[in-house]
Amino acid sequence: FLAGFVLHAILRRDTQDTAYIISHVSYFWLSSAVANCSWILAWQYGLPQNIVWPSFIAMVCIFVSNLSAYFRLAKNAEELKNMTWKVYIFGHIPFALYASWIFGAALINLLVVCGSNPENVDLWGWVIAGEAGLLVASFFGAFVLYQKEDVWYTAVNVWTLVAIAQKQQNVSTKTAAVLLAVILGVGCVGTLVKKVLHRR
């Protein structure tokens, strides 16, 4: 989807839809690209020494940039409903997927790397921090679903929670991830049903 966004911006740059997308996301897209380069460097040179914080901070910057672009394109369900299909496909969906994915990736990055050095951390402290992270991620997913009635962001959120549950050995964290995934999944299905019924 991001490739579609880039190709559409290049090949169809003279159209009104492309101008709308670029005018709303250009600065955020550039800041995301810079943060992405920083993330790659931080991950490449920091991970072997288990230095996770630079990588995590870069991922947070990518998330904020993409989430800002996502909400710039449409702030609520009404604006999303009035969006043209080209702006929806080449603007809205790419930033929804990327913002949600990078949030989950940042959370997994933090949990995996910190969990790989249990002798250097307070185990229960990281369990509590991990579950707090799951709650924050789920809150964003629920907020987007309520504010914009958009399942794309929240569906990736559900996928991330399921992936975390599969990799977790701690029963408490695994249970929390599964429960939150079920709640958000039901919310996504309910939103889709609501949209279908409103179209009739």
Side-chain angles (χ1 to χ4, degrees):
F1 282 99
L2 280 174
F5 158 73
V6 173
L7 290 174
H8 186 266
I10 295 173
L11 300 177
R12 306 288 294 176
R13 59 182 178 275
D14 296 329
T15 65
Q16 184 175 354
D17 289 328
T18 302
Y20 177 87
I21 297 173
I22 296 300
S23 66
H24 282 70
V25 308
S26 56
Y27 294 111
F28 300 114
W29 171 252
L30 290 174
S31 63
S32 174
V34 172
N36 222 319
C37 293
S38 302
W39 173 36
I40 294 172
L41 292 174
W43 182 264
Q44 179 71 25
Y45 295 105
L47 187 59
Q49 289 78 36
N50 292 319
I51 304 175
V52 65
W53 293 110
S55 174
F56 178 72
I57 292 171
M59 294 173 98
V60 171
C61 292
I62 298 171
F63 169 71
V64 171
S65 297
N66 283 277
L67 189 71
S68 300
Y70 173 68
F71 274 99
R72 276 275 290 166
L73 288 168
K75 297 181 180 64
N76 51 50
E78 189 63 29
E79 290 185 8
L80 187 61
K81 182 180 178 180
N82 295 329
M83 187 178 287
T84 67
W85 70 267
K86 289 183 180 179
V87 173
Y88 185 81
I89 292 176
F90 296 110
H92 170 79
I93 293 178
F95 285 100
L97 296 178
Y98 196 20
S100 186
W101 176 82
I102 198 66
F103 192 105
L107 181 59
I108 293 173
N109 177 36
L110 191 62
L111 291 175
V112 169
V113 176
C114 291
S116 65
N117 291 276
E119 69 276 5
N120 295 328
V121 297
D122 178 0
L123 178 60
W124 283 107
W126 280 116
V127 169
I128 294 172
E131 292 178 3
L134 295 179
L135 288 172
V136 172
S138 301
F139 170 79
F140 269 99
F143 173 76
V144 168
L145 200 60
Y146 172 79
Q147 179 74 10
K148 301 181 67 170
E149 296 183 0
D150 176 39
V151 299
W152 290 99
Y153 181 99
T154 310
V156 176
N157 211 214
V158 172
W159 172 77
T160 302
L161 290 168
V162 171
I164 290 174
Q166 290 178 336
K167 296 294 184 181
Q168 278 297 313
Q169 295 181 348
N170 180 273
V171 176
S172 177
T173 304
K174 181 187 288 287
T175 302
V178 171
L179 180 61
L180 292 169
V182 170
I183 293 173
L184 291 180
V186 170
C188 287
V189 173
T191 300
L192 287 174
V193 172
K194 178 183 176 181
K195 288 187 174 182
V196 170
L197 292 176
H198 280 183
R199 289 181 179 179
R200 292 183 175 180

